[in-house]
Amino acid sequence: MSQMTAKPVAELGRRPRVAVVGGGFAGVNAAQALGKLPVDVTVLDRRNHHIFQPLLYQVALAVLSPAQIAQPIRTIVSGNANTEVLMDEVTGIDSRARKLNLVSGAVIAYDYLILATGATHSYFGHEEWAKYAPGLKSIEDATEIRRRVLLAFELAERHKLEHGWHPPLDFVIIGGGPTGVELAGAISDIARLYMKHDFRHIDPAMARVLLIEGSPRVLGSFPEDLSAKAQKQLEEIGVKVWTNKHVSEVGPGYVMVGDERIEAVVILWAAGVAASPLGRMLGAPTDKRGAVIVDQQLNPEGLPDVFVCGDLAHFEQDGHLVPGVAQPAMQMGRFAARAIAADLEGKPRGNFRYFDKGDMATIGRLAAVAKIEWPFKAHWGGFMAWVTWLVVHIYFLIGFRNRLTIFATWAWTYFSFRDGARLITGDQRLSGWDELTRESAQDPAKSVPGQEQVPPIEPLTQEPVGVAAGKSGK
């Protein structure tokens, strides 16, 4: 594929305009790097904030608040005099005319386009499952998961007080990648450690967590020894792991695994992702996920003025697909800016090469796995991996305030065994709860085993207590 040269740029007679679509890791890093170039930059995103996605699950499980892992995009690029930010959504791309159509009706012209809109959930053709099993990609997803998880305990407490029993607190996570593993470990932690003194009628530690993975092992992108360590650590904190199991149906309060019905108060989805639909608007070749196939300069076929970065890019290196995680996305964004700088100077762009520093996943309190590639090679599990995970994630957060507040929150959580963002907002109904309570009432064996039954709460008398007391006092 031919590379763009400086000649067309020089003939513009004006500063080139760069459109950056997406405020994730790739988009933000590209925008920051472009701030130093003689170009005009427009950053477009349908949300006004950048999310530090590796910590999104901690918002979902009430350890952190949304503001601690999110930063306004305007604030991030406020030091770039050449950059403007538009909160809008792209509905069409005319790559020949170099124009973007926006949902607001506006049209944005560009000389260079950096597409970095990431990925979304994939339910493998069963989109109806989404209302029963939410995924985790946004702040809205995280607060919805938090609502469901915390509400399950609250409803169990209320039901125990009113009826003397409650349905089992069973949680099912579908998908054993990093997100699924982290969600499973965090749910186990809050049930066993952080809420054990908060309820009077239920024992949160009786909650059971099941992690279902369709492949032979969890964390399939990690080396086999780390996958084994991850599964062992999960099982040590009470998480049941099923591998080589495929979900055939998801409904209100249940999951079907083959012919087996698994009942659950909360079901979470971490099994599949699909690239943003924006990639197909280019008309360039895509893979089965919808990711755009790019060359060594991150350009789709025949579009040297378009760079596709992050989860939206299908980029192979040394015969392997580069993973859709934060580090490659950040490096891709910065490479796109360097390629544009090379064009402006009339120099060759060079090729993108992902520098893999390693990968890690946290499993719970004091438990994690880490594949370290730089500055040395190591496979760690347990406490050392957990400490490394903490340090790395604080380091890569954007904004000193976020680093400081998250460090303080983690320290408080570690020493006090209390979470700081355990808030339930929105609807106080839980999908599947009515079905579970009805089935448990019909079959008492399905109620929580091993807990002392309490008598149901007595209804109020016809005469309020306060009135009776008032009469007796006269």
Side-chain angles (χ1 to χ4, degrees):
M1 182 183 299
S2 61
Q3 295 185 12
M4 176 174 283
T5 65
K7 184 177 180 181
V9 174
E11 290 178 352
L12 287 174
R14 56 174 172 76
R15 287 160 59 102
R17 174 163 293 280
V18 183
V20 179
V21 183
F25 285 109
V28 162
N29 276 266
Q32 288 177 314
L34 289 166
K36 306 177 179 67
L37 302 182
V39 295
D40 294 318
V41 183
T42 301
V43 180
L44 295 116
D45 197 290
R46 58 183 177 180
R47 294 184 175 88
N48 77 326
H49 54 271
H50 164 76
I51 305 168
F52 191 78
Q53 279 205 325
L55 293 181
L56 197 56
Y57 84 97
Q58 294 218 348
V59 174
L61 275 307
V63 178
L64 302 174
S65 67
Q68 289 177 296
I69 68 161
Q71 187 88 335
I73 297 171
R74 293 185 184 279
T75 301
I76 295 172
V77 299
S78 61
N80 294 359
N82 65 343
T83 304
E84 62 184 6
V85 179
L86 292 181
M87 187 176 168
D88 212 327
E89 186 174 354
V90 175
T91 58
I93 303 173
D94 187 341
S95 56
R96 289 191 176 185
R98 295 181 177 178
K99 291 181 178 179
L100 302 175
N101 299 315
L102 308 184
V103 72
S104 63
V107 176
I108 298 291
Y110 66 85
D111 299 298
Y112 291 97
L113 173 62
I114 299 176
L115 273 184
T117 47
T120 186
H121 315 298
S122 172
Y123 289 87
F124 307 116
H126 294 280
E127 299 308 313
E128 70 276 9
W129 295 354
K131 60 183 176 182
Y132 306 122
L136 184 59
K137 287 293 181 184
S138 67
I139 291 292
E140 291 84 357
D141 294 336
T143 54
E144 172 60 14
I145 290 174
R146 183 182 68 186
R147 183 190 73 84
R148 294 190 186 208
V149 171
L150 298 181
L151 190 57
F153 292 98
E154 294 292 343
L155 292 178
E157 175 86 348
R158 189 175 77 189
H159 203 274
K160 182 74 175 283
L161 183 63
E162 292 174 349
H163 302 285
W165 59 273
H166 69 84
L169 286 166
D170 292 341
F171 298 82
V172 172
I173 296 93
I174 304 169
T179 299
V181 165
E182 289 169 345
L183 284 171
I187 292 174
S188 179
D189 271 359
I190 65 170
R192 293 180 308 110
L193 304 175
Y194 300 120
M195 295 198 296
K196 60 183 180 180
H197 300 305
D198 290 2
F199 293 89
R200 297 295 175 262
H201 300 285
I202 68 169
D203 179 6
M206 294 293 290
R208 298 177 295 194
V209 183
L210 172 62
L211 178 64
I212 302 174
E213 167 58 33
S215 68
R217 56 190 177 94
V218 298
L219 298 181
S221 62
F222 283 63
E224 288 190 22
D225 62 320
L226 291 182
S227 293
K229 288 179 181 179
Q231 181 164 339
K232 182 182 178 186
Q233 291 178 84
L234 284 168
E235 291 169 346
E236 286 174 348
I237 61 175
V239 176
K240 190 172 184 179
V241 180
W242 284 3
T243 55
N244 285 318
K245 300 285 187 180
H246 296 276
V247 170
S248 56
E249 185 181 348
V250 179
Y254 73 91
V255 171
M256 294 296 297
V257 181
D259 296 329
E260 186 173 359
R261 179 184 171 106
I262 310 297
E263 295 178 347
V265 290
V266 174
I267 306 164
L268 304 178
W269 186 264
V273 295
S276 161
L278 216 57
R280 289 191 168 95
M281 295 181 188
L282 280 173
T286 59
D287 64 14
K288 62 182 180 180
R289 295 184 302 113
V292 180
I293 299 171
V294 297
D295 64 11
Q296 297 302 303
Q297 289 83 43
L298 304 182
N299 303 132
E301 184 179 351
L303 296 172
D305 53 341
V306 177
F307 298 89
V308 182
C309 304
D311 286 348
L312 191 56
H314 177 112
F315 178 81
E316 295 187 8
Q317 178 173 295
D318 300 331
H320 300 284
L321 181 66
V322 169
V325 293
Q327 277 297 320
M330 296 165 70
Q331 294 178 31
M332 286 177 174
R334 292 192 290 265
F335 172 85
R338 290 198 304 272
I340 292 172
D343 284 357
L344 297 176
E345 297 172 2
K347 297 179 180 178
R349 289 180 176 178
N351 294 334
F352 172 74
R353 185 160 185 84
Y354 170 47
F355 177 32
D356 184 5
K357 299 177 182 177
D359 203 1
M360 55 189 69
T362 183
I363 291 154
R365 180 184 172 89
L366 307 180
V369 291
K371 180 191 73 170
I372 301 172
E373 297 290 336
W374 182 89
F376 52 85
K377 291 184 179 291
H379 288 184
W380 286 347
F383 179 74
M384 279 299 298
W386 182 74
V387 171
T388 304
W389 182 91
L390 293 179
V391 172
V392 167
H393 283 74
I394 287 178
Y395 175 80
F396 281 108
L397 275 166
I398 294 177
F400 175 77
R401 177 179 172 274
N402 282 1
R403 295 189 187 103
L404 189 63
T405 59
I406 286 182
F407 177 79
T409 300
W410 281 346
W412 165 257
T413 301
Y414 180 83
F415 290 109
S416 70
F417 285 91
R418 292 191 178 275
D419 292 324
R422 207 181 303 158
L423 306 176
I424 298 173
T425 57
D427 194 352
Q428 295 191 11
R429 295 169 298 178
L430 183 61
S431 173
W433 180 260
D434 291 341
E435 289 83 355
L436 289 171
T437 53
R438 185 164 54 248
E439 290 176 6
S440 295
Q442 294 170 354
D443 183 1
K446 289 186 175 181
S447 61
V448 171
Q451 283 190 233
E452 180 183 355
Q453 298 291 303
V454 300
I457 190 170
E458 295 294 331
L460 290 174
T461 59
Q462 293 296 318
E463 189 174 36
V465 174
V467 174
K471 286 182 179 178
S472 64
K474 287 185 179 180

